Amino acid sequence: MPIDAAKALAADPRQGEIAWDHKDIQLYHLGLGAGLPATDPDELRYTLESKLHVLPSFATVAGAGMAMMGGLAAPGIEINLANVLHGGQSIELHRPIPVKGSATSTAKVAALYDKGKAAVVVLRTEVADADGPLWTSDAQIFVRGEGGFGGERGPSVREELPERAPDRVEERTIREEQALLYRLSGDWNPLHADPEFAKLAGFDRPILHGLCSYGMTLKAVVDTALGGDVSRVRAYRTRFAGIVFPGETLRIRMWQEPGRVLVAVTAADRDDAPVLADTVVEHA
């Protein structure tokens, strides 16, 4: 059934209550590879409750995380989840995320774009607590075979990287069991754990979650370019350009500009195959 863009965009937002505490945040950080070395003071900010700060990408899993996929059941959208790919992700922070919180999450289809042979659904989630807005998150969902409904093609956002050498190059090795740990934060897709399911999807073994690469990249930027200060992050966006496997190494190149860091992420073990592209961290 074709997407009914008018119906989807006019649908009432979905609201729900979410809550988290230090255990959720510690689990998320550990799923990104935090805690090595275990006694490093810089790593204890991610792992020890008495010193804890919150990496802003925690917004993608807060409240058990995968509510964005529920948005694909909105009125006017009837699609086969086997045709769904997570194309991009952005977060705008209105203030630092507290270590313990409860909030109201409001989700809606913010935009629908017709790419011809595919559709792009932009699912927007706005989260606020008693003190006001916390963050706004957009997930760009690419749906194969669902284009042709007559909608706008939508913007093509590309970030041109500077021609000069990067200011920083960091490498982050993905532990063999990391996807198994990361999925405990809410993404139970067997593609990231079950070898047989991965083969059915066309991979010789399970792949890492794109949002895990997303979080690992932000951690690397915060820890190096931003002096370890998570409160400096104002916004963070990326386009998922390829896969990476547990056991491989992310190569994270950074170019620092006033108020932002441009980032390119590749799989170092596979001739720098693209993993994240058009990636920007905006900061104070």
Side-chain angles (χ1 to χ4, degrees), residues 179 189-193 198 203-210 242-246:
N189 188 334
L191 176 63
H192 308 295
F203 303 105
D204 59 3
R205 61 190 188 278
I207 64 174
L208 188 70
H209 307 71
I243 63 165
V244 68
F245 294 96

Side-chain angles (χ1 to χ4, degrees), residues 54 71 84 92 99 101 114 120 124 148 178 183 190 199 208 239 273 277:
V54 184
V84 166
E92 179 184 359
V99 171
D114 188 342
V120 173
R124 177 164 298 158
Q178 196 161 324
R183 69 196 300 262
K199 288 177 182 176
L208 188 70
R239 176 172 60 86

Side-chain angles (χ1 to χ4, degrees), residues 31 175-185 188 192-194 206 208-209 246:
R175 300 196 304 265
E176 289 284 351
E177 82 288 0
Q178 196 161 324
L180 302 179
L181 183 58
Y182 180 85
R183 69 196 300 262
L184 300 182
S185 287
W188 298 97
H192 308 295
D194 184 344
L208 188 70
H209 307 71

